[in-house]
Amino acid sequence: MSKKNEEKEVKAFKAPSPIIILVCVILLCALASYVIPAGVYDRVKDAHTGRMVVNPATFHYVASKPTGFMDFFTSINKGFKGGISIIAFLFMVGGSLGILEKTGAIVAGLSTLVKKLRNNALLLIPVLMTTLATFSTLAGCNEEYLAFTPLVVSVALALGFDSLTALGMLFCSVAAGYGAGCTQPFSVGVAQGIAGVPIFSGLPYRIGIFIILLAANIAFVMYHAYKVKNNPESSPVYEIDQAKEKTVDLENVPPLTTRQSICLALLGLNFVGIIFGVLKYDFYMNEISAMFLIMGALSGVICGLKPNDICDAFLNGCKGMMMPCLAVAMCKAATILLDNAKIMDTIIHTLAGMLDVFPSSIIAFGMFIIQDCFNLLVPSSSGQAAISMPIMAPLADIVGVTRQTAVFAFTFGDAFTNCITPASGATMSYLAMANVPYKKWLRFILPLIAVWWILAFCFLTYATAIKLGPV
């Protein structure tokens, strides 16, 4: 019997590499140029924003220009050139956060927090989730918590909870942080840049969304934890957790040093500076990249890292950005093919015709559903923004939804399926480290995903009603 189970595990479905998916997307765009008729909208300058927007009444068909053989293979190189500002931004931010990670400040800070709250079982959940979610919504932290996962699982078991509670604290914190994306550079920063919306604009609304999402997620995890603590056998992973080591020596957790505390304070100060710079001095990608670089370099110096160690940490951080940057280039390649074949506007025109019969609130929610489903295939925030926002931004102009609302639809869509997509290496790594089967995790989290969809509908309906702008 065990042999059969092993064979089933070996034959289990393995999601294709995101690179394969993106190659298929580029190929599909190339083939579409032979099927979809070419058409264009005239662009006019918006009197309020000064940007060029679609004139919805001017769509007309033009001569087709199908993708050639060499066009297909040169598109990726052109994608790198077209997305260079975003790629450089991601490398700078990723490298700088890599230096901060090398200092060990984030893991040490979180470990110290867990240690202090070990005698307050249920209080651990809201405090830890608020801390994790704050890091996620400000700095886009997600994979950084992988190193922290074994400790969270061990502490959860020691306090009478289960592995699902531990994963819930991690995943639900990230979902709240990414869903609001207050100053999240990898999704909101990139999406707003492509949509022509001031970077990190709409912050007051995002803070409100962050509070609501975080409260809902904390309530969900605490309810499950309370139920399991009162009746351990009610846990879907009870038998699995029984085989795990339930003791954790928190006394041996590396303490948070004074230098690491200064680095964490510096991280917080960095985001205050970015928000001030964006609001007061119109900071954009170059300035924000510089702020991260200053923070990263100072963190390395404060923690006593040698110059070579700082450089190695920066390069390791850049390596972590390789997949997102490649995704941006490949998605940009796809949009270049659509633009060159003059079928991008035809796609926008068709989508607008399909959505125009619905109220604006439903249109925004429809954008969210498209993004949410697309995220199952391309979990990279930056990559998804690169391929969807060039379509969603002008579509928003046509159907009467603000571009800021379209960015919110993207943000929610990007955040709410990250925790269940098997295409995400980070998601599957979390589950593997906690030794939780994917099916059991799916059954646990699906009710909360339904709540996220309801909240997304409410947030988007309100944003549409007030015509949420760039401020």
Side-chain angles (χ1 to χ4, degrees):
M1 196 72 176
S2 60
K3 228 175 187 181
K4 286 183 180 177
N5 288 335
E6 285 177 12
E7 287 175 5
K8 283 182 182 177
E9 289 295 326
V10 173
K11 293 178 181 177
F13 170 75
K14 184 179 179 181
S17 166
I19 298 296
I20 295 175
I21 294 171
L22 291 172
V23 168
C24 291
V25 169
I26 297 173
L27 181 60
L28 186 63
C29 291
L31 294 175
S33 68
Y34 290 87
V35 179
I36 299 175
V40 295
Y41 282 104
D42 292 338
R43 263 67 174 176
V44 295
K45 182 175 279 191
D46 186 280
H48 300 289
T49 63
R51 65 170 176 251
M52 300 302 292
V53 298
V54 167
N55 182 344
T58 61
F59 179 78
H60 56 280
Y61 292 103
V62 296
S64 61
K65 188 184 175 184
T67 301
F69 180 79
M70 287 303 293
D71 292 333
F72 175 79
F73 286 99
T74 58
S75 63
I76 296 178
N77 191 55
K78 292 176 181 177
F80 272 103
K81 292 179 180 178
I84 190 61
S85 60
I86 296 171
I87 292 170
F89 174 73
L90 293 175
F91 272 134
M92 290 298 101
V93 174
S96 302
L97 291 176
I99 299 173
L100 182 65
E101 185 180 356
K102 178 70 174 179
T103 67
I106 293 178
V107 173
L110 294 175
S111 300
T112 301
L113 179 64
V114 169
K115 183 177 178 180
K116 288 184 177 180
L117 294 173
R118 59 182 167 174
N119 296 322
N120 298 284
L122 287 175
L123 183 62
L124 171 68
I125 296 173
V127 174
L128 181 60
M129 287 184 66
T130 300
T131 305
L132 294 175
T134 301
F135 279 128
S136 291
T137 203
L138 294 179
C141 290
N142 181 3
E143 289 89 347
E144 290 80 1
Y145 302 151
L146 279 170
F148 188 58
T149 303
L151 177 64
V152 175
V153 172
S154 298
V155 169
L157 296 179
L159 295 177
F161 304 141
D162 63 353
S163 297
L164 288 174
T165 302
L167 286 177
M169 285 191 279
L170 295 166
F171 276 117
C172 297
S173 301
V174 172
Y178 271 64
C182 294
T183 59
Q184 212 275 64
F186 308 119
S187 62
V188 175
V190 174
Q192 288 184 327
I194 294 172
V197 177
I199 288 186
F200 302 143
S201 56
L203 188 59
Y205 193 42
R206 290 188 179 279
I207 292 174
I209 289 171
F210 176 70
I211 293 170
I212 294 171
L213 283 176
L214 182 59
N217 294 358
I218 289 174
F220 178 82
V221 175
M222 286 190 72
Y223 172 76
H224 175 81
Y226 181 79
K227 187 172 67 172
V228 169
K229 193 169 179 64
N230 287 336
N231 181 16
E233 293 186 10
S234 67
S235 169
V237 292
Y238 175 74
E239 292 182 0
I240 296 172
D241 285 344
Q242 287 300 298
K244 295 177 183 174
E245 180 61 48
K246 291 190 177 183
T247 58
V248 55
D249 187 7
L250 285 175
E251 300 306 324
N252 289 330
V253 170
L256 180 69
T257 66
T258 302
R259 291 186 177 190
Q260 289 173 330
S261 299
I262 294 173
C263 287
L264 291 178
L266 188 62
L267 178 65
L269 188 63
N270 181 60
F271 289 110
V272 172
I274 287 173
I275 293 170
F276 180 77
V278 167
L279 297 177
K280 184 78 174 174
Y281 298 107
D282 296 324
F283 275 16
Y284 201 58
M285 288 187 180
N286 289 339
E287 293 81 6
I288 294 170
S289 297
M291 293 285 287
F292 271 101
L293 194 57
I294 293 168
M295 180 274 299
L298 284 177
S299 296
V301 172
I302 290 169
C303 282
L305 297 181
K306 295 177 181 178
N308 277 352
D309 292 334
I310 292 176
C311 292
D312 289 342
F314 183 85
L315 290 175
N316 282 331
C318 289
K319 286 178 185 176
M321 289 293 104
M322 189 61 69
M323 181 59 229
C325 288
L326 188 56
V328 167
M330 295 181 76
C331 292
K332 184 66 177 176
T335 58
I336 286 172
L337 292 182
L338 295 178
D339 277 332
N340 289 346
K342 299 191 180 302
I343 61 173
M344 174 77 86
D345 283 4
T346 306
I347 294 172
I348 294 169
H349 179 66
T350 303
L351 288 173
M354 292 168 60
L355 295 175
D356 205 31
V357 297
F358 297 104
S360 296
S361 58
I362 302 298
I363 293 173
F365 190 65
M367 290 179 172
F368 156 71
I369 293 173
I370 293 170
Q371 299 283 9
D372 217 20
C373 294
F374 187 59
N375 190 52
L376 289 169
L377 298 174
V378 185
S380 166
S381 301
S382 308
Q384 190 184 157
I387 196 169
S388 61
M389 289 315 299
I391 296 175
M392 292 299 175
L395 178 61
D397 295 336
I398 294 171
V399 298
V401 173
T402 66
R403 291 193 174 195
Q404 187 75 277
T405 303
V407 172
F408 272 102
F410 158 76
T411 307
F412 300 147
D414 168 63
F416 294 162
T417 47
N418 273 339
C419 63
I420 61 171
T421 172
S424 169
T427 297
M428 303 314 289
S429 296
Y430 278 115
L431 296 180
M433 294 181 78
N435 192 26
V436 171
Y438 179 75
K439 288 183 180 178
K440 290 185 181 293
W441 167 249
L442 199 60
R443 290 194 199 102
F444 168 77
I445 200 67
L446 279 178
L448 183 58
I449 290 178
V451 173
W452 291 341
W453 273 49
I454 294 169
L455 290 174
F457 177 81
C458 295
F459 295 146
L460 292 170
T461 300
Y462 180 72
T464 302
I466 65 171
K467 296 189 179 299
L468 187 67
V471 183

